[in-house]
Amino acid sequence: MKIKHAFLAACLGAVSLVSPAISQSGAPISAEDIAQIDILPGWRDASGKHMAALRVRLADGWKTYWRSPGDAGIPPRLDWRGSGNLQGVTFHWPVPEVFDTAGMQTIGYTHDLILPISLTPQQAGKPITLKGKVNLGVCKDVCMPMDARVSVTLPAQAGGETRQIKRALRDRPDTASEAGLRKAICQIEPTKDGLRLTAQIDMPRVGRGEVVVVETSDPSLWVNTLSTARSGKVLTTVAELVPTSGKPFLLNRSDVRLTVLAAGRGVDIRGCTGG
């Protein structure tokens, strides 16, 4: 069954949402009862870039996922092909929450997600036509994917509500320098199925119950975190990296991204060394 629902964005934007799902009681779940998605038009800054945001408003008890969703989450996919006057897109993910459900760790957001998006136009001073597909996973008693189609015109002189976007930008993770990182060392060894990465992060404690998320520049790699533990100044995490293709691959340490999450804070570490 397909259920379509349209939302008007703040600046000539339309979002149609498709969500096939059934609740535990057997009744259909309507998309508009779970999530509302629109685009906050934002502003054009002095450099010529346009700062907008994807807004996801969730019903009570529902959550959606961060760019790396954890053990059992559904990874978000944001595809802007079909847009006009758009050269580049950068996402600014706010610090997510870490959930522990039935022994599985997932990472995401409850209530509202405001995801700031920095857009670089091909022609400065001209409107950007933002078109694309947004694929999100949402969970409560059931988990399901939601597919939204986005179409919004962002004028060069856009004005309107900026407070929510600026708040989300302030909620970003700290940089490695801001967090006092002294060094991040990655040791890599081959395994039967891929590679095992051991990251040693020499940095002050972020908070109680630190979680380390390992990402690479290759989205086809499956990352399984085996353990994370702190000993004094050093936080160590061990992860397996397995290619879904089953073929050998090369890992560049400079492409490894380590995010440390704890107590509502995050630290974004780009790259590590070989020791």
Side-chain angles (χ1 to χ4, degrees):
M1 178 180 64
K2 291 187 177 180
I3 304 172
K4 281 195 175 181
H5 185 72
F7 303 94
L8 283 180
C11 185
L12 303 180
V15 179
S16 61
L17 191 60
V18 180
S19 63
I22 297 176
S23 69
Q24 289 183 333
S25 65
I29 297 177
S30 177
E32 59 264 36
D33 293 333
I34 298 171
Q36 296 185 7
I37 300 176
D38 61 7
I39 298 292
L40 300 178
W43 65 91
R44 195 72 59 96
D45 64 23
S47 71
K49 292 186 178 181
H50 197 110
M51 183 64 72
L54 177 73
R55 177 171 61 178
V56 182
R57 289 176 286 181
L58 296 165
D60 289 343
W62 287 84
K63 65 176 180 282
T64 191
Y65 295 101
W66 187 52
R67 64 171 187 260
S68 180
D71 297 334
I74 302 172
R77 302 187 187 279
L78 306 167
D79 183 356
W80 304 119
R81 284 177 293 184
S83 297
N85 192 31
L86 182 61
Q87 180 177 332
V89 178
T90 302
F91 301 103
H92 304 273
W93 291 88
V95 173
E97 300 177 59
V98 179
F99 307 101
D100 189 354
T101 305
M104 292 186 294
Q105 180 179 281
T106 56
I107 304 171
Y109 306 91
T110 55
H111 306 298
D112 290 0
L113 164 62
I114 307 295
L115 175 58
I117 309 171
S118 180
L119 307 165
T120 303
Q122 290 177 329
Q123 291 183 300
K126 300 291 185 180
I128 294 173
T129 303
L130 190 63
K131 291 184 178 181
K133 298 177 182 179
V134 178
N135 308 115
L136 301 174
V138 293
C139 275
K140 189 180 179 184
D141 299 325
V142 295
C143 290
M144 61 185 183
M146 284 190 163
D147 301 325
R149 295 186 180 274
V150 174
S151 179
V152 56
T153 299
L154 302 172
Q157 303 301 324
E161 177 61 49
T162 63
R163 182 172 47 189
Q164 294 183 76
I165 302 176
K166 290 181 177 179
R167 185 186 302 125
L169 288 169
R170 290 194 297 269
D171 288 341
R172 65 170 175 80
D174 293 339
T175 65
S177 176
E178 290 169 339
L181 177 75
R182 288 175 282 270
K183 58 184 175 180
I185 297 173
C186 290
Q187 299 174 344
I188 300 169
E189 56 184 315
T191 65
K192 179 181 177 181
D193 300 317
L195 297 175
R196 178 178 291 112
L197 181 145
T198 301
Q200 296 177 307
I201 304 169
D202 187 347
M203 182 179 71
R205 187 182 297 271
V206 177
R208 187 174 180 180
E210 291 169 309
V211 169
V212 180
V213 183
V214 178
E215 298 172 89
T216 73
S217 59
D218 185 352
S220 70
L221 289 180
W222 178 67
V223 180
N224 178 32
T225 301
L226 301 177
S227 64
T228 300
R230 176 174 283 277
S231 177
K233 297 180 180 180
V234 178
L235 181 65
T236 301
T237 194
V238 181
E240 288 183 335
L241 282 62
V242 179
T244 56
S245 65
K247 298 179 180 179
F249 66 98
L250 296 175
L251 181 66
N252 189 333
R253 288 181 176 86
S254 63
D255 292 334
V256 173
R257 188 173 188 176
L258 305 169
T259 304
V260 183
L261 301 170
R265 291 182 57 208
V267 179
D268 188 7
I269 301 169
R270 307 291 186 97
C272 51
T273 67

